Amino acid sequence: MSKPTPSDLPTYDDVVAAAGRIAGLAHKTPVRTSRTIDTEMEAQLFFKCENFQRMGAFKFRGAMNALSQFDTRQRAAGVIAFSSGNHAQAVALSARFLGIPATIVMPLDAPAAKVEATRGYGGNVVTYDRYTEDREEISTRLAREQGLTLIPPYDHPHVLAGQGTAVKELIEETGPLDALFVCLGGGGLLSGSALAARALSPDCKIYGVEPEAGNDGQQSFRSGSIVHIDTPKTIADGAQTQHLGQYTFEIIKRDVDDIDTVSDAQLIESMRFFAERMKMVVEPTGCLAFAAARARKEELKGKRVGIVVSGGNVDLAKFAGFLAS
């Protein structure tokens, strides 16, 4: 794919249109607070809880926005997507709502709960080895052979515009923010969130957050060009991407202030806080934003801080193991 021009990039108007398109289907998720963490941080933190979204993650927003714009031929032929889990479930569920056949390419080591849920939503799951095979090549080949429409997990204007509706809701509920932390894999959520934040809270500092083992976004942001890495080994399976997208990178380098990284140990500590103090199950990827905000405690004192909790789809046996470690 060639580099998109500025006129090709989605705008906040696309986020607004997406919000109208998915209204009544996507949940307006709660914004929660914690006196405990506000006291610890000496700041006000607002958690946008996308772990309470349909299928347990923000991904439903982008998938529904994209699939709802299919024409008659596309709906009849079907959709194909590749994902480690949340986009898989989002596309399968959106397709079921719209009566569209769905094929999902998933890694062999994807969390069992995510695979089972994807099949439960009606998705036809095709597996691959994420360390030796290329999911994009597999998906592109199947799309060509079967006439399917490929909806990638992040690098698509309709997908990222849909993801931006979460932060649109957040800021409309809380008012302007001083800082916003958003997890970063391929950049769909971060780029969509940046479109919403720049429109609704222009002075807000926007931070993307990656696992330490997979800091391709940070490298890309600081070098000015997309960096490709090997599949990172991290408990944040939703952020095991190898590179940013063309659309997402252009928005991120224009609108985001910085990219932070956090360790798996920090993610586990954040999971424990959510479970013990806020009574929420949050998957490791969903803890990225909070972990990074905690690490910036000194500079956030007295600030109003938005935290996107991206999802809660985690295998319960692994979840228990993480908290016991």
Side-chain angles (χ1 to χ4, degrees):
M1 171 184 162
S2 59
K3 178 180 174 181
T5 65
S7 63
D8 294 328
L9 298 177
T11 66
Y12 178 62
D13 287 342
D14 295 300
V15 177
V16 173
R21 214 171 273 121
I22 68 176
L25 291 167
H27 295 321
K28 183 178 180 182
T29 52
V31 176
R32 291 192 170 174
T33 58
S34 164
R35 288 185 182 179
T36 299
I37 200 62
D38 284 359
T39 300
E40 174 190 313
M41 297 282 292
E42 299 179 51
Q44 283 184 286
L45 272 63
F46 301 95
F47 297 89
K48 180 60 170 170
C49 296
E50 287 294 289
N51 50 318
F52 296 121
Q53 186 52 262
R54 283 193 189 273
M55 47 69 50
F58 74 94
K59 292 281 192 177
F60 181 76
R61 297 173 181 273
M64 179 55 73
N65 186 48
L67 269 64
S68 66
Q69 297 181 68
F70 276 21
D71 62 27
T72 302
R73 185 207 66 77
Q74 290 174 307
R75 290 189 179 216
V79 62
I80 187 168
F82 52 85
S83 165
S84 64
N86 284 340
H87 181 62
Q89 294 173 78
V91 170
L93 181 57
S94 298
R96 189 176 77 176
F97 276 128
L98 297 169
I100 299 172
T103 298
I104 314 294
V105 178
M106 300 185 72
L108 287 165
D109 62 347
K114 294 184 178 182
V115 177
E116 290 167 12
T118 301
R119 289 192 171 118
Y121 292 138
N124 172 36
V125 175
V126 175
T127 58
Y128 75 101
D129 185 332
R130 76 163 91 216
Y131 298 105
T132 62
E133 297 180 283
D134 187 321
R135 65 184 188 172
E136 296 182 43
E137 285 183 5
I138 294 169
S139 302
T140 301
R141 174 176 54 79
L142 290 174
R144 184 177 61 252
E145 292 172 354
Q146 300 177 28
L148 309 175
T149 298
L150 174 61
I151 297 297
Y154 50 86
D155 202 28
H156 190 290
H158 299 164
V159 171
L160 72 88
Q163 317 305 26
T165 61
V167 165
K168 176 180 182 292
E169 291 175 5
L170 170 64
I171 298 175
E172 286 175 344
E173 182 168 338
T174 65
L177 298 169
D178 297 306
L180 174 70
F181 291 81
V182 183
C183 69
L184 173 58
L189 180 61
L190 179 57
S191 56
S193 297
L195 293 178
R198 283 287 166 253
L200 299 175
S201 186
D203 296 327
C204 176
K205 296 285 188 183
I206 303 172
Y207 301 97
V209 189
E210 296 179 299
E212 277 182 358
N215 72 331
D216 60 290
Q218 187 183 67
Q219 292 182 56
S220 302
F221 184 77
R222 293 179 181 174
S223 70
S225 60
I226 295 176
V227 172
H228 292 245
I229 63 171
D230 292 334
T231 301
K233 293 187 177 180
T234 170
I235 63 171
D237 64 283
Q240 284 183 299
T241 47
Q242 295 176 288
H243 58 87
L244 298 178
Q246 295 283 357
Y247 285 97
T248 61
F249 179 59
E250 291 303 312
I251 296 171
I252 288 169
K253 73 178 183 180
R254 181 191 70 193
D255 291 342
V256 170
D257 290 282
D258 204 358
I259 308 293
D260 290 352
T261 64
V262 296
S263 67
D264 281 0
Q266 287 173 286
L267 295 180
I268 290 171
E269 186 55 38
S270 296
M271 291 173 71
R272 184 175 290 113
F273 179 88
F274 282 132
E276 291 180 346
R277 306 311 297 259
M278 297 184 72
K279 313 308 176 189
M280 297 196 305
V281 174
V282 181
E283 64 184 280
T285 308
C287 295
L288 284 163
F290 177 45
R294 257 181 148 174
R296 285 184 178 261
K297 174 181 175 179
E298 290 305 313
E299 66 193 80
L300 294 177
K301 285 182 179 180
K303 306 292 188 182
R304 292 167 48 83
V305 184
I307 306 287
V308 180
V309 180
S310 62
N313 294 322
V314 58
D315 180 88
L316 289 182
K318 286 187 176 180
F319 182 75
F322 291 144
L323 297 191
S325 62

